[in-house]
Each structure stands twice: as C-alpha cells, then as structure tokens.
Amino acid sequence: MDTVDVTGIDAQEVMLALDRVTFDGLVGAGVLLLLGLVVIRVVMQILRRVMARLPFDGTLTSFLSSGTKIVLYIVLGTMVADKLGFPVTSLVALLSLFALAISLSVQNVLANVVSGVVILTSKLFVAGDYIETDTAAGTVQSINLMHTHMVTPDNKVVLVPNSELSAGKITNYSANALRRVDIPVRVGYEYGNARVTAALMRAAQGMPDLEQGEKAPQVLISEYGETGVKFILRVWTPTARYWDVYYALMSAVREALEEDGIPLTYGAQRVEIGGCER
C-alpha cells in the first residue's frame, strides 16, 4: 500500500540530495551563509536607523525588527538549502503548512498583535492619556503588542486585550488641551436668576487655571423644574487640571451661595393632605 506524506517532503528525495552534496557545494553553501548573515546584520542596522527616525512606538519598532529578522533568516535558510541541492519546493510547502497550523491555533493572539500594531501606528491614544472603554477606565501606562496596561483612579492596574480596544468604543479624555467643567446647581424659585448667577460667577472668579475670552466662565439656566431652577456653572480648564478645578468649584459654589443666603434645593416636594402640608 502506498503511503501519503502529509509533510510534503519526500524522504527518498532528501537522501538523494544528501548523496549529491559535494565539497564544492558545502563550501559554496558556507560562503553563502556567511555573506547572508553579514547582509542580514547590515539590513537590520539600516532598518533600525530608519525606524528610529519615524514616529513609531518602541514596542512596535522592536516587533517589526524581530519579524523582519525572522523572515530574512528563513529566506537565507531556503537559499542555503537550495545551494546544497535540497528540495526547496517541499521545504517551502512544509513551512507554509507549519505557518498555517500556528496561525489557526493562535488566532486570538494574532488578533491582539494586529490590533496592537493598529493602535501604535494610528495613535488612537498614547501612554499618559486617560481613556474610557466599554470595560475599563484609567490612565494608559503602556501599550504592548498583546495588552494595553491601564491604571485606574484607585491605583489598580487593568490589562485590556488590544483586540477589544480596536473593535470597541474609546473615549480619550486627554486628546484635547482643554476640557469643560459643568457644575449643576438647583435653587428655589424665590431667588432671582440674577442673584444666583452673580453668586456662581463670584465662585468662578476666584478660581485659578480657568480660560477667558471665548471660553470664559458662564452661567446657564438648563431647566425650570418642579422643585426649582437648575443652573449650570460652565468653565474651561487645561485637561491636566480638570479634576482639581472640578472639586474646587464644588466647594466654592456652595460657599458663594451660602454667603448670599441661597440654599440648595433638593428633590423634596410639598404634598397637601387634608389641608396640611407635609
């Protein structure tokens, strides 16, 4: 019964190739191997210098360098095998089959690697940015080929697969130089709009790091509700100062309203039962 060689390499053909190897062939293959190693070294040095001038992340540069070196070694090995008279066609078929088997077994890994390359090249976010995804939120610590490392506000490290980031929604809070801070306040109808607006503007005037001009602080009325009027104190500040300004304004707004005798209104409603208010 005839046997089927799943590897695509004929053992008899390999043995015949070994028998045909001569001293001159060995010398030629050795010279080719040495020249190939020198060429690979020169090519890799040039490649590193070129990539160092490009706006690539260090992780991506290392990955591309390693991948290029592996490909060059495979090409050199194939050329040396051909020089010795080995069946190169069968060898290439075996390498292709091996690569297919690996790719099928590590699909998720390859998906994360490709997504990592996309993130690094497209600059969706960089280390130091504060981002929010469907599964996590925090400051980007590092971007690797498999995962993106994020540090949450309570100092926990979260590793998010790159494939999730490239396929999902990403909110980058650090992308722009300025961010808007909105402080909502609800007060009773018995206090005039002008009086409340003046108190809120006074709270903003004593705050550092606020933008002026077109983005100067302003007070808006967003709702006339059942329990009072909803005001919004809106300011613009550098992104890095967002939370400092937010918490400082929360305190300053209440102090300014109390100075003018304006209490904050809560969601309580008045209900009359049998002529009595409760």
Side-chain angles (χ1 to χ4, degrees):
M1 180 182 293
D2 295 335
T3 58
V4 178
D5 189 355
V6 296
T7 64
I9 296 180
D10 190 341
Q12 185 177 0
E13 187 177 354
V14 173
M15 295 302 297
L16 291 174
L18 288 173
D19 291 337
R20 292 194 298 265
V21 174
T22 63
F23 178 76
D24 292 339
L26 287 174
V27 173
V31 172
L32 177 60
L33 178 61
L34 292 176
L35 289 176
L37 292 175
V38 172
V39 170
I40 290 176
R41 185 172 183 178
V42 172
V43 170
M44 292 307 301
Q45 289 179 349
I46 296 175
L47 181 62
R48 292 190 186 96
R49 291 177 182 176
V50 171
M51 289 192 298
R53 298 177 181 178
L54 297 177
F56 286 169
D57 184 85
T59 304
L60 178 59
T61 300
S62 176
F63 173 74
L64 293 177
S65 298
S66 300
T68 303
K69 184 182 292 187
I70 292 173
V71 171
L72 291 177
Y73 278 136
I74 292 175
V75 172
L76 177 60
T78 304
M79 294 174 62
V80 172
D82 183 59
K83 187 70 174 179
L84 291 172
F86 285 94
V88 177
T89 303
S90 300
L91 180 61
V92 171
L94 176 61
L95 291 174
S96 301
L97 183 63
F98 181 69
L100 177 61
I102 292 179
S103 63
L104 291 176
S105 62
V106 293
Q107 289 183 7
N108 293 334
V109 174
L110 292 177
N112 284 324
V113 170
V114 172
S115 299
V117 173
V118 171
I119 292 173
L120 290 169
T121 54
S122 61
K123 300 292 185 180
L124 298 177
F125 51 84
V126 297
D129 286 354
Y130 186 90
I131 65 173
E132 181 179 356
T133 70
D134 295 333
T135 58
T139 302
V140 177
Q141 186 180 52
S142 63
I143 306 171
N144 299 324
L145 290 178
M146 288 291 297
H147 298 86
T148 292
H149 295 226
M150 298 168 54
V151 180
T152 63
D154 56 347
N155 206 33
K156 292 184 295 186
V157 177
V158 180
L159 276 64
V160 183
N162 290 331
S163 57
E164 292 185 10
L165 292 177
S166 63
K169 176 184 175 182
I170 302 174
T171 302
N172 190 340
Y173 292 98
S174 303
N176 296 323
L178 299 177
R179 281 191 65 185
R180 193 181 74 192
V181 183
D182 288 352
I183 305 296
V185 175
R186 187 182 299 274
V187 299
Y189 281 99
E190 59 270 28
Y191 305 99
N193 292 347
R195 183 179 173 185
V196 177
T197 298
L200 295 178
M201 289 297 294
R202 189 171 68 253
Q205 289 172 358
M207 195 66 51
D209 300 320
L210 299 186
E211 294 294 307
Q212 302 299 324
E214 295 182 356
K215 296 186 181 300
Q218 59 180 155
V219 177
L220 308 172
I221 298 176
S222 65
E223 178 187 354
Y224 289 105
E226 295 182 359
T227 60
V229 183
K230 184 178 180 181
F231 294 82
I232 295 180
L233 173 59
R234 176 168 294 172
V235 303
W236 290 83
T237 186
T239 300
R241 293 281 298 158
Y242 176 86
W243 288 111
D244 293 334
V245 171
Y246 176 84
Y247 291 123
L249 272 179
M250 289 291 288
S251 177
V253 162
R254 180 171 182 176
E255 293 177 358
L257 291 175
E258 289 180 347
E259 287 177 1
D260 286 4
I262 305 174
L264 295 173
T265 300
Y266 302 96
Q269 298 183 2
R270 293 188 305 176
V271 180
E272 294 187 3
I273 301 178
C276 299
E277 292 185 3
R278 294 191 179 182

